[in-house]
């Protein structure tokens, strides 16, 4: 697959991919390596139209084990995928889905105060949505095929498997 990216364009897309990947990987590792970490407090703090949904989720101890496990390892795998350029498009989709859930749980609305500390002041657009937009850019520019393991996979995998994966 040929592209017309300049070296500067490709370099900045790669920097974006690695930075977002690092953020996801680090957030995941911090949670995986802390055996007492749970998303329960975060979900209990949820506000907005989906606050009840996330609050009910946090009240179910059995469900929280799955939520915590999936959140931790999704962050790690998405981060690794982005950093390595491995299954880049799938990593972007996974990251976007996680960020949508985080946004639904803690929307940036006026006159909403969260119990957990937040950096900055937001209205509608917060850091999660900015990172989500970055993942959207990476999804359409397919940097893993230029610099990453996806470049090798593009030669091996059937074209029908490549559309949303690499």
């Amino acid at each position: 697959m040929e592209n017309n990216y300049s070296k500067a364009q490709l370099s900045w897309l790669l920097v974006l991919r690695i930075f977002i990947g690092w953020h996801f990987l680090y957030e995941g590792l911090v949670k995986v390596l802390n055996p007492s970490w749970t998303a329960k407090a975060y979900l209990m703090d949820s506000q907005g139209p989906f606050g009840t949904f996330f609050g009910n989720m946090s009240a179910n101890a059995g469900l929280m084990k799955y939520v915590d496990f999936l959140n931790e390892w999704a962050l790690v795998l998405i981060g690794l995928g982005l950093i390595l350029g491995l299954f880049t498009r799938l990593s972007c989709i996974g990251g976007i889905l996680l960020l949508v859930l985080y946004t639904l749980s803690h929307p940036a609305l006026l006159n909403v105060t969260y119990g957990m500390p937040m950096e900055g002041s937001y209205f509608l657009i917060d850091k999660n949505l900015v990172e989500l937009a970055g993942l959207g850019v990476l999804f359409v520019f397919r940097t893993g095929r230029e610099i990453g393991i996806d470049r090798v996979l593009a030669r091996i995998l059937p074209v029908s498997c490549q559309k949303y994966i690499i």
Side-chain angles (χ1 to χ4, degrees), residues 2-57:
E2 291 295 318
N3 73 52
N4 295 320
Y5 306 150
S6 71
K7 287 183 181 182
Q9 289 170 323
L10 191 56
S11 295
W12 279 108
L13 286 168
L14 181 62
V15 166
L16 179 65
R17 193 184 83 205
I18 290 171
F19 280 20
I20 294 175
W22 173 255
H23 182 232
F24 272 80
L25 178 62
Y26 184 76
E27 286 289 333
L29 288 175
V30 165
K31 291 165 179 53
V32 167
L33 296 174
N34 179 354
S36 63
W37 179 84
T38 180
K40 184 174 181 172
Y42 180 80
L43 294 174
M44 287 173 56
D45 192 37
S46 179
Q47 309 245 350
F50 296 95
T52 302
F53 171 76
F54 290 109
N56 289 339
M57 186 183 294

Side-chain angles (χ1 to χ4, degrees), residues 19 110 124:
F19 280 20
L110 287 177
L124 299 181

Side-chain angles (χ1 to χ4, degrees), residues 45-74:
D45 192 37
S46 179
Q47 309 245 350
F50 296 95
T52 302
F53 171 76
F54 290 109
N56 289 339
M57 186 183 294
S58 70
N60 184 328
L63 180 61
M64 281 308 300
K65 289 180 183 178
Y66 293 107
V67 168
D68 290 340
F69 177 83
L70 290 172
N71 189 47
E72 293 168 357
W73 287 101

Side-chain angles (χ1 to χ4, degrees), residues 42 45-50 99-114 118-130:
Y42 180 80
D45 192 37
S46 179
Q47 309 245 350
F50 296 95
L99 292 168
V100 164
L101 288 172
Y102 298 162
T103 299
L104 291 175
S105 173
H106 285 72
L109 301 173
L110 287 177
N111 300 321
V112 173
T113 304
Y114 294 104
M118 298 190 61
E119 69 224 27
S121 301
Y122 302 111
F123 175 59
L124 299 181
I125 308 296
D126 64 4
K127 64 183 182 180
N128 289 329
L129 289 177
V130 172

